[in-house]
Amino acid sequence: MTQPETTGAGWHARTAEDAAREVETDVATGLKESEAVARRARFGPNTLPIAQKRSALSILVHQFRSLIVLLLVVAGGVAFALGDVMESVAILVVIVLNAVIGFVTEWKAASALEGLRKQAVPVARVMRDGVERQIDAMDLVPGDIVRLDAGDRVPADGRIAEAARLQVDEAALTGESLPVTKTADAVLDPLAALGDRSSMVYLGTAVTDGRGTVIVTATGAATEMGRIGKLIDEVSAQVTPLEAKLAQLNRVLLVLVLALCGFIVLTGWLRGNDLLPMIEVGISLAIAAVPEGLLAVTTITLALGMQRMARLNALVRRLPAVEALGSTTVICSDKTGTLTRNEMTVRAMQVGRRRIEVTGTGYAAQGDFRADDQRIDLTGKPDPADPLVLALRIGALCNDATVDRTGDGTTVLGDPTEAALIVAAEKAGLAPGVLCREYPRVREIPFNSESKWMLTVHRTPGGGMVAYAKGAPAAILTASVSVLDDRTTTPMSDEVRSAWTQTNNDLASGALRVLALAYKALSGEQTDDELGRNLTFVGFVGMIDPLRDGVQDTIATCRTAGIRTVMITGDQQVTAAEIARQLGIDVGPDGEPMRTTHARELDGLDEPGWQRVVKETAVFARVSPEHKLQIVKALQRHGHIVAMTGDGVNDAPALKAADIGIAMGVRGTDVAKAAADIVITDDNFATIVGAVEQGRVIVNNILRFLHYLFSCNFAELLTVFATIMLGWPLPLGVLQILWLNLVTDIFPALALALEPSAPDVMRRPPRDPKESLMTPRFGWLIVWQGALLAGCTLVTFKIGLRWYGSVGAGLQHAVTLAFMTLVLTQIFHVFSARSRTRSAFSAGLFSNLWLWGAVVMCLALQLAAVYTPFLREVLHTVPLTGADWGLVVAGALVPLAVIETVKAVQRAMAAPNRSSGR
């Protein structure tokens, strides 16, 4: 066989005679095994590796953990050098625990993703050495002869050599809802769009009907799917807003830590202190400056959000994706299988003068027939002569599809359009099996692209013969010489044909796919040409791929939340525009009409042109994978945080390029899932509403515990720093600071991550993606509240020094007072940190029981720290007296009272602008 040298446009344009000549000589023998091995060595295996995104948050976790471990190692070494073996061993234990926690966390994350990375190896039936055999699809090479039957997945790109009623579902590549009829006839236009190449089949698509023989023209990276794979690999993974902001915060903290260490050590040494003790002091300040709990709580918060998402039928593949979705300003959605069900459904019928609406969606056999708002009663045994029953019978019998309900679900074999006709008949009580027994098929003329109709001949219950036909409206109307009106037949005049043509246009304008139905009573043998003439026209049936349940409400909720929805589809422009109208996508945020843009308008656009188009367009129709990618990037350059939903291979590059990629889990391809951040396991677009809300709740909760952690850590830092500058003894030891940061801080901060959603969370605009986590206003809030906590601690420490002295056991007693005061101020401060404006004593005081549990746990730990001999020895504390506790509690309550008074004043001054969620 001549080895194929070109693929795609070149191969689909080759003449049918070329392909037939090659198959005529080699279809019986196929490639020799030795030749296949040689070609495999040249072309490589038929595999499509897809690059995976790596979370920037995991990189930050490693950086912070490495810094903390380094500081702990140095602190442990200094403690050992100073002779404090107990402190050195305790620090070593903390290092081991840090490593174990990090390992377990990453191992669990890797295990959760392992299932998504596994992909089944497809098989193919090929001719090798004159024998048909089944091999792994990865072993195919160009030139192989592959056999395809209904239900097969196409294992490689190929030129069709033989086809018998071959239909292929190419939705994964093109976004088209309906299967494409394939023939061996060449498509001579070398620039034909992918969906118009009827002489080619492509890797990853599915055969829905018929059979065919295909010459493999491309495998692996050379296929159309491989070309998309290259686009995916070329797209760099987007850093989510949270990752970018944490990275910025990480850099600031690293500089701050190094500066503080150097400054304190240098200052203390110049003032005459010994070098080693000052190094330990500098490290203690560095540990205070680095919020060890920040990334732990951030990761846990996102993981908890991931669990909530899983309960909402969404699988989060990257933790920061939950937060990123909450910051989304634009959702770019595919149409087929995402906004629609990808299940053709009969919605309307025109039989005679009656317009009949059909209820029900999908392949469920439940629904009614209604005319003039009145239900048509079809219970009992339907009248065979009723024109509606006749139309349904034609659709069900002139049909090669099968709707199988024997298993757990519903399985459709064959054309979804024909399946919709069967389901419509079932809604009227016409069981397909009974119809086939009463009207057995004796002859068939298959659908072809020239006649544009299909015809079957049946024996009637009375012993006669009848032909049933369905097809394109224009073709059936042309072949009809009469029309059924009620129960009488009248001639088909030009005026009547024109009226029915207008009816067809009316149905099509509602985004319906229209088929015409006709019949012919037979009195003798007729040729195929004779059967296709002199038909009696019965009517039209209009079908649609229905909208998913709840999609309109989802899009309305997104609009209320300040999120714009854009439809990006490979479907026809008129159909996409009508779907957008039904969904309300074609209206902008200010009520202005939005455009529907065809792909041909996108070619050759410059940057200003792209900016104008993405601003004005709500629907992009007939787009290619490259167009989808360009649209996403143009929106990002416009300042948007873009979420992209999709299920096909053609969506994968845009899914990866988007700030947040959302793949459909049931109908989604493995390539789309691998490129996405979130997989919707129920394929329900409405699930995204829950994802957006969870994302926004998490953003608010992250800000809450940032407020809490930073103000508490600043209080620790300021307390130690102030005592050094004032010449006082150190109020906290290294292990006490570690106890604060790794134990006492984390539990309240984690409880803040479980704060419930604010009532108006989906009635606010998205958080400005350009806004830093640490805004000047937020920074000032942390500074003055941290200074307040530190001030109360310093006052308590000073009183303790006066009561008990500044050396020996007296200093240890004063340090214990400062330690306990700082802990209690932080525990009480968590209630103020729940909201920047709401009172800590509002009606929602007990809405977060986890917070109360954390407070009780921290109090118990602190009591153990001063009353348990082992912890007293490790932390260098002493038991406190009643007077001591009075001093500690008073010092801890002052910050709570001051902060709540300030919030009350602010609410009184700016009540109309207060936010219940911040």
Side-chain angles (χ1 to χ4, degrees), residues 466-517:
V466 65
Y468 291 148
K470 76 174 192 304
I476 295 294
L477 283 171
T478 300
S480 298
V481 296
S482 59
V483 59
L484 183 66
D485 189 0
D486 197 5
R487 294 177 183 250
T488 61
T489 301
T490 59
M492 175 70 78
S493 64
D494 290 339
E495 290 78 14
V496 172
R497 187 175 285 108
S498 177
W500 278 102
T501 300
Q502 183 57 47
T503 300
N504 169 50
N505 294 336
D506 293 341
L507 289 171
S509 65
L512 297 176
R513 187 193 185 203
V514 183
L515 286 179
L517 307 171

Side-chain angles (χ1 to χ4, degrees), residues 244-523:
K245 293 164 188 173
L246 283 177
Q248 180 184 19
L249 193 58
N250 178 44
R251 290 189 292 270
V252 172
L253 287 176
L254 288 176
V255 172
L256 178 63
V257 166
L258 294 176
L260 282 173
C261 284
F263 178 75
I264 296 301
V265 172
L266 181 62
T267 302
W269 180 63
L270 290 176
R271 294 184 62 176
N273 293 312
D274 293 335
L275 182 61
L276 282 180
M278 285 312 306
I279 290 176
E280 190 172 23
V281 169
I283 291 174
S284 69
L285 278 179
I287 294 173
V290 176
E292 289 90 342
L294 171 60
L295 288 175
V297 176
T298 301
T299 303
I300 292 171
T301 302
L302 294 175
L304 292 173
M306 181 179 71
Q307 292 177 356
R308 288 193 292 265
M309 290 288 294
R311 291 193 292 270
L312 294 172
N313 298 314
L315 174 63
V316 180
R317 302 183 67 244
R318 298 177 66 223
L319 291 183
V322 182
E323 180 272 338
L325 190 59
S327 302
T328 297
T329 58
V330 175
I331 296 179
C332 295
S333 175
D334 187 32
K335 180 186 77 69
T336 304
T338 305
L339 297 174
T340 63
R341 297 169 59 95
N342 201 20
E343 297 176 349
M344 294 301 293
T345 304
V346 174
R347 278 289 176 82
M349 300 182 69
Q350 184 75 36
V351 181
R353 294 185 176 89
R354 286 197 301 175
R355 172 68 65 87
I356 301 165
E357 304 297 326
V358 185
T359 64
T361 59
Y363 298 129
Q366 286 87 37
D368 294 327
F369 297 83
R370 307 184 70 86
D372 299 325
D373 292 329
Q374 298 294 319
R375 180 177 178 275
I376 300 175
D377 187 6
L378 294 173
T379 57
K381 185 173 178 60
D383 182 2
D386 185 324
L388 174 58
V389 174
L390 172 61
L392 293 170
R393 187 165 68 243
I394 293 172
L397 291 175
C398 186
N399 197 310
D400 288 324
T402 302
V403 180
D404 183 5
R405 296 191 174 89
T406 57
D408 295 335
T410 299
T411 302
V412 172
L413 298 177
D415 190 336
T417 300
E418 294 188 334
L421 295 174
I422 292 175
V423 173
E426 289 177 324
K427 292 177 181 178
L430 301 175
V434 175
L435 286 176
C436 290
R437 288 193 297 271
E438 293 178 348
Y439 294 84
R441 183 186 297 187
V442 297
R443 189 174 172 187
E444 173 187 352
I445 302 177
F447 176 90
N448 63 70
S449 57
E450 294 181 0
S451 65
K452 292 185 171 54
W453 48 257
M454 173 184 177
L455 185 143
T456 55
V457 178
H458 302 264
R459 184 175 291 108
T460 67
M465 302 289 287
V466 65
Y468 291 148
K470 76 174 192 304
I476 295 294
L477 283 171
T478 300
S480 298
V481 296
S482 59
V483 59
L484 183 66
D485 189 0
D486 197 5
R487 294 177 183 250
T488 61
T489 301
T490 59
M492 175 70 78
S493 64
D494 290 339
E495 290 78 14
V496 172
R497 187 175 285 108
S498 177
W500 278 102
T501 300
Q502 183 57 47
T503 300
N504 169 50
N505 294 336
D506 293 341
L507 289 171
S509 65
L512 297 176
R513 187 193 185 203
V514 183
L515 286 179
L517 307 171
Y519 77 98
K520 180 180 182 180
L522 305 178
S523 57

